[in-house]
Amino acid sequence: MVEIEIDGKKVEVPPGSMVMDAANKLGTYIPHFCYHKKLSIAANCRMCLVEVEKAPKPLPACATPVSAGMIVRSNSEKAVQAQKSVMEFLLINHPLDCPICDQGGECQLQDLAVGYGKSDSRYAEEKRVVPPKDAGPLISMAEMTRCIHCTRCVRFGQEVAGQMELGMLGRGEHAEITSFVGKTVDSEVSGNMIDLCPVGALTSKPFRYQARTWELSRRKSVSPHDSLGSNLIVQVKAGKVMRVLPLENDAINECWLSDKDRFSYEGLDNADRLTSPMIKQGGQWAQTDWQTALEYIAHGLRNIKHEHGADAIAAVATPHSTTEELHLLAKAMRGLGSENVEFRLRQTDFANDGQVTPWLGMPIADLSNVKRALVIGSFLRKDHPLVATRLRAAVKSGAKLSVLHGADEELLMPVANKMIAAPSDWLAALSDLAAAVAKAAGASVPAYDQVKPSESATKMAASLFTGEAKLPSVILLGNAAVQHPQASAIHAAAQLIAELTGAKLGYLVDAANTVGGYLAGAAAKNAKPVFAEPKKAYVLLNAEPELDCANPQQARAALDAAEMVVVMSAFKHGMDYADVLLPIAPFSETAGTFVNCEGRAQSFNGTVKPLGEARPAWKVLRVLGNLLGLTGFDYDTSEAIRDEVLGKGVTDLSAKLSNVSTIAATAATFGDGSALERVTDVPIYFADAIARRSEPLQRTADAQAPLAHLPAALAAQLGVVAGDTVKVTQGTGSALLVAAIDKTLPANAVRVAAAHPSTSMLGAMFGAIQVEKAGKGA
């Protein structure tokens, strides 16, 4: 450790630290613009100039390494004069438009100008003007004249997001930050550039001119989207969510948010919002009151139980529902005598039930420090944007990343080894890898004795061994691996590889409360794929089955044939097959708990009052339980339900979770590749109901209508070029999609997204698929 003195106070910091780090440790504030603790040092704003004893001139605190015995003065006359001179330079060209600037009230330049700026300027010449840029639907670059060239946005793109979407052109007063010619900013974490901008050059386009920062109330919340459980600050005005910002938590989301977490709030006041209970009578929808709607449901469920038995009733929920909601839904079903309750809507293999309760297997923060990682079956950047940023940081620090997947996704980081195979060959590829790992470890695994490892598997196996047992390594099973028809066999092979390499085995898990769904008991015993066995009555909680299920065709057929379908949702949907619509509150209007992928329970309260007649789902289920005459439905608060499920005051639930399976690993061989099969992704902004209805997100590049991605050889065989229309057929349904050529796909794979209206008539996410060139009249 190196000891230095700052403003008369002594502090010890590691060798190689900068003066700014020492000041931060002491709690001494040094003014700055370009410095940010999560980004590299640029030292181009010079606002952090300090006086260092024996140095001939002031030095930048952010870029001056500490040395033993160094004496620093941050607020001496020399330092303050230097800082004031820098401020004068920064304000020379800055426009005087604070009254109409969206950054007003939370602007670093504004704050520091009060302390270090003058009341007038010596610069009388005309100020420069920088033309506005179009960065897409999320970021406004309309006032780039305000930019002070701190380059935080540029560095964030390069270092955290992994792609340089913004850069600096020109020199001197002609310098300007811009995007590439004709390109918008399309990163899935681009909104963080808005937070990083210390002036009003980059602002939120959806929030632009909506409110002043001092008019907003700030409330803590938790993201309802991916499995990270990002911490949020929800800003509210007049009972409406106006903006969402990150609440810094280094253990989870650091100081970042994905764009889905940041901008999906725009879907909360969508025209699709359901604001009062509705009942279908004679084929016509009519608004009704809560009492009538709930009594109608209770009467209908009792009749179906009486006529067909309790097994004819099923409940289906999404893992974006809170733990409290899932627990009461399961409790109500079991109170009726039905075991048919399920939240794992895209899963089809349940052989690991009863032994595996999937979780990350390690703290989220540890992902930044792993030395070896193997990711199996994950569209990583789009499924888990902030996990991707952590793995990117690990790779930058020397980690080796390997990938087994059905498509060669651009991960925006160096990938040491790849195995790209059609989904039906994933188990064979893992067998190949397991045999190579066993050989490298000198272990005898009878299941793989007959497998001769390929060169690529041998190379990947070698990279999975860290060389030191203490160095952390991890094998991660992604969403597609869980959704795979052979998920349990893939788990067994991955578990064996983890044991042989000394790695931890983890699941990325697909949604905000997947882990909570298991703990709440919302998974059926002896589970089968949802809708595989049609039932007479369905209760849907937050679920849009044609978009959220593994097989939309099967789901729609079951719902159409049911005698009663109850939709509990914040939005109007299912009008064709539903009998009752109950308006329930989204995450912003209810209290609840999400359990993230590391097993951390995070409770939150509603940030605004429920819209219209909407009610928290736990209250609706409580009343429904009472109307059905079930016991144990007398809760007064959501906290009482949480404590019943998770235990009072318990936040770390990792002890209740396990990734250990007793299913033995088995070898598989590669197919002949003759049959076409589907590779399926869930587009980032169609993964859940709120994101689907956020207008800004739906205008992004990631929300464009899905294409049919064809391997080059298949496209040539069909006579299809990019932009042609193709007919994709699966089961009893077909879709007309625009073709794209993807040279990285396996020769017998066609990539078609799920969870989108244009593909919702197709069948299972995995399996056989037919493609033909569409006729001119199609």
Side-chain angles (χ1 to χ4, degrees):
M1 300 291 280
V2 177
E3 184 179 87
I4 74 166
E5 183 184 300
I6 301 179
D7 297 336
K9 298 176 184 174
K10 292 191 175 180
V11 63
E12 287 187 345
V13 290
S17 299
M18 301 296 156
V19 171
M20 185 72 86
D21 301 322
N24 288 342
K25 190 172 181 181
L26 270 178
T28 298
Y29 179 73
I30 297 175
H32 59 273
F33 292 112
C34 68
Y35 168 81
H36 191 277
K37 61 184 177 181
K38 297 289 184 182
L39 303 176
S40 63
I41 295 165
N44 55 5
C45 78
R46 316 310 280 182
M47 191 66 213
C48 64
L49 290 174
V50 292
E51 182 183 354
V52 178
E53 196 170 89
K54 297 181 182 176
K57 58 183 180 180
L59 299 175
C62 70
T64 302
V66 297
S67 59
M70 178 184 274
I71 297 175
V72 178
R73 299 181 185 90
S74 70
N75 58 5
S76 66
E77 186 181 343
K78 187 176 181 180
V80 171
Q81 187 53 50
Q83 292 159 3
K84 285 186 173 181
S85 298
V86 169
M87 178 58 70
E88 185 177 14
F89 275 115
L90 289 174
L91 293 176
I92 281 174
N93 276 306
H94 197 79
L96 299 174
D97 62 353
C98 293
I100 59 115
C101 178
D102 253 5
Q103 197 87 347
E106 51 188 11
C107 173
Q108 262 184 279
L109 186 68
Q110 201 176 53
D111 294 344
L112 292 178
V114 172
Y116 299 91
K118 296 183 177 181
S119 58
D120 59 346
S121 173
R122 291 183 283 175
Y123 186 83
E125 287 79 4
E126 198 172 289
K127 290 179 182 279
R128 74 175 194 147
V129 176
V130 179
K133 319 286 190 303
D134 180 14
L138 304 180
I139 298 176
S140 170
M141 295 179 73
E143 284 95 8
M144 290 307 291
T145 304
R146 300 171 184 159
C147 178
I148 61 168
H149 306 144
C150 70
T151 67
R152 280 184 180 183
C153 56
V154 178
R155 283 175 286 147
F156 173 81
Q158 286 178 298
E159 298 161 19
V160 181
Q163 56 189 137
M164 187 175 172
E165 293 184 289
L166 295 179
M168 185 182 282
L169 289 177
R171 292 173 67 85
E173 80 159 11
H174 301 294
E176 58 182 279
I177 300 291
T178 184
S179 58
F180 286 93
V181 179
K183 299 280 188 182
T184 54
V185 177
D186 297 325
S187 166
E188 60 282 355
V189 289
S190 66
N192 294 295
M193 294 177 181
I194 299 167
D195 293 341
L196 287 170
C197 184
V199 295
L202 303 180
T203 53
S204 167
K205 196 171 272 189
F207 178 68
R208 188 170 160 81
Y209 298 145
Q210 294 299 303
R212 285 303 200 174
T213 180
W214 54 84
E215 299 175 304
L216 302 171
S217 303
R218 291 160 177 77
R219 283 138 199 193
K220 295 179 182 179
S221 192
V222 179
S223 166
H225 303 296
D226 66 31
S227 63
L228 215 67
S230 295
N231 289 193
L232 311 177
I233 296 173
V234 178
Q235 299 190 331
V236 174
K237 178 186 176 187
K240 181 181 176 184
V241 175
M242 304 299 291
R243 184 166 62 163
V244 170
L245 297 175
L247 175 61
E248 186 170 346
N249 186 339
D250 264 352
I252 300 176
N253 55 301
E254 301 177 273
C255 53
W256 313 127
L257 279 185
S258 69
D259 287 354
K260 180 160 64 170
D261 293 334
R262 184 183 298 271
F263 295 110
S264 66
Y265 73 88
E266 285 281 321
L268 296 172
D269 286 315
N270 187 275
D272 272 359
R273 271 302 295 268
L274 182 61
T275 55
S276 63
M278 300 180 77
I279 292 180
K280 188 193 284 181
Q281 292 178 321
Q284 297 295 314
W285 283 100
Q287 290 189 6
T288 186
D289 60 87
W290 273 104
Q291 188 72 19
T292 304
L294 290 172
E295 285 178 355
Y296 178 87
I297 294 165
H299 180 71
L301 292 177
R302 275 195 296 264
N303 277 358
I304 287 168
K305 179 182 176 181
H306 177 71
E307 292 175 19
H308 305 285
D311 192 54
I313 303 171
V316 174
T318 67
H320 302 282
S321 310
T322 68
T323 305
E324 293 83 351
E325 293 164 0
L326 292 170
H327 175 64
L328 289 196
L329 185 69
K331 195 172 183 178
M333 285 300 112
R334 294 188 175 117
L336 283 168
S338 171
E339 267 298 330
N340 305 314
V341 56
E342 191 57 80
F343 73 96
R344 302 166 294 179
L345 306 190
R346 294 195 175 104
Q347 192 170 328
T348 56
D349 179 0
F350 301 95
N352 273 323
D353 276 11
Q355 45 185 338
V356 173
T357 312
W359 72 297
L360 189 61
M362 62 196 300
I364 291 167
D366 286 0
L367 289 172
S368 302
N369 303 313
V370 296
K371 293 302 175 189
R372 300 288 184 272
L374 168 61
V375 179
I376 301 169
S378 177
F379 295 91
L380 187 63
R381 278 178 51 213
K382 306 304 180 184
D383 289 346
H384 305 282
L386 296 185
V387 170
T389 63
R390 284 196 180 268
L391 288 177
R392 193 171 294 119
V395 170
K396 284 179 68 176
S397 299
K400 287 187 178 177
L401 174 67
S402 300
V403 170
L404 188 158
H405 198 27
D408 191 2
E409 284 277 283
E410 176 50 73
L411 297 181
L412 302 176
M413 62 182 116
V415 178
N417 301 282
K418 296 176 186 175
M419 296 177 82
I420 307 301
S424 63
D425 286 330
W426 287 3
L427 191 54
L430 278 173
S431 300
D432 193 8
L433 178 58
V437 166
K439 186 178 177 182
S444 174
V445 182
Y448 300 112
D449 281 348
Q450 303 305 311
V451 179
K452 187 177 179 184
S454 65
E455 187 179 335
S456 60
T458 303
K459 188 181 171 190
M460 184 181 284
S463 79
L464 292 178
F465 289 92
T466 59
E468 261 185 68
K470 291 182 181 177
L471 292 177
S473 57
V474 66
I475 295 175
L476 297 170
L477 294 164
N479 295 3
V482 177
Q483 296 154 1
H484 197 282
Q486 297 172 298
S488 55
I490 288 172
H491 175 109
Q495 183 175 308
L496 178 72
I497 295 167
E499 289 167 0
L500 292 172
T501 58
K504 291 182 177 176
L505 178 66
Y507 278 85
L508 292 171
V509 303
D510 65 335
N513 203 31
T514 300
V515 177
Y518 280 95
L519 297 173
K525 294 169 185 170
N526 305 315
K528 298 179 179 68
V530 179
F531 300 110
E533 291 181 1
K535 304 296 180 184
K536 295 294 181 183
Y538 286 101
V539 178
L540 308 180
L541 175 62
N542 289 318
E544 299 176 70
E546 54 271 61
L547 302 178
D548 291 327
C549 286
N551 192 327
Q553 275 177 18
Q554 202 177 65
R556 189 57 194 265
L559 291 165
D560 285 341
E563 290 180 17
M564 184 179 198
V565 176
V566 178
V567 170
M568 297 176 64
S569 175
F571 304 99
K572 291 178 188 172
H573 64 83
M575 311 287 274
D576 296 341
Y577 52 76
D579 298 285
V580 187
L581 301 180
L582 298 180
I584 59 170
F587 84 103
S588 58
E589 299 168 15
T590 186
T593 304
F594 292 139
V595 185
N596 72 358
C597 58
E598 66 178 359
R600 184 192 298 250
Q602 299 187 105
S603 295
F604 56 92
N605 290 312
T607 54
V608 292
K609 290 180 179 177
L611 190 65
E613 291 295 308
R615 294 290 179 268
W618 69 266
K619 290 187 176 181
V620 176
L621 289 164
R622 178 191 64 186
V623 175
L624 186 58
N626 290 329
L627 289 173
L628 288 167
L630 306 178
T631 57
F633 281 80
D634 52 356
Y635 308 98
D636 292 325
T637 64
S638 65
E639 288 80 7
I641 310 169
R642 177 196 66 198
D643 294 346
E644 180 176 291
V645 182
L646 305 177
K648 194 166 186 177
V650 178
T651 55
D652 182 4
L653 298 156
S654 57
K656 295 184 178 181
L657 309 173
S658 171
N659 290 332
V660 179
S661 169
T662 57
I663 294 176
T666 54
T669 55
F670 286 93
D672 60 10
S674 58
L676 272 186
E677 57 183 283
R678 182 177 178 183
V679 172
T680 312
D681 62 303
V682 176
I684 181 171
Y685 301 137
F686 286 92
D688 63 82
I690 300 174
R692 284 174 196 137
R693 291 168 174 85
S694 169
E695 191 186 336
L697 291 181
Q698 293 308 314
R699 293 202 306 268
T700 61
D702 277 321
Q704 290 175 359
L707 304 174
H709 295 266
L710 312 178
L714 175 64
Q717 180 187 328
L718 295 174
V720 170
V721 297
D724 283 354
T725 302
V726 293
K727 183 180 181 183
V728 177
T729 305
Q730 226 189 346
T732 58
S734 60
L736 294 173
L737 302 174
V738 175
I741 313 300
D742 187 344
K743 295 178 182 177
T744 67
L745 278 172
N748 62 324
V750 177
R751 180 173 167 181
V752 178
H756 192 278
S758 65
T759 58
S760 63
M761 65 293 295
L762 298 176
M765 295 175 72
F766 294 85
I769 194 168
Q770 290 82 44
V771 182
E772 58 186 301
K773 189 172 183 178
K776 288 186 178 178

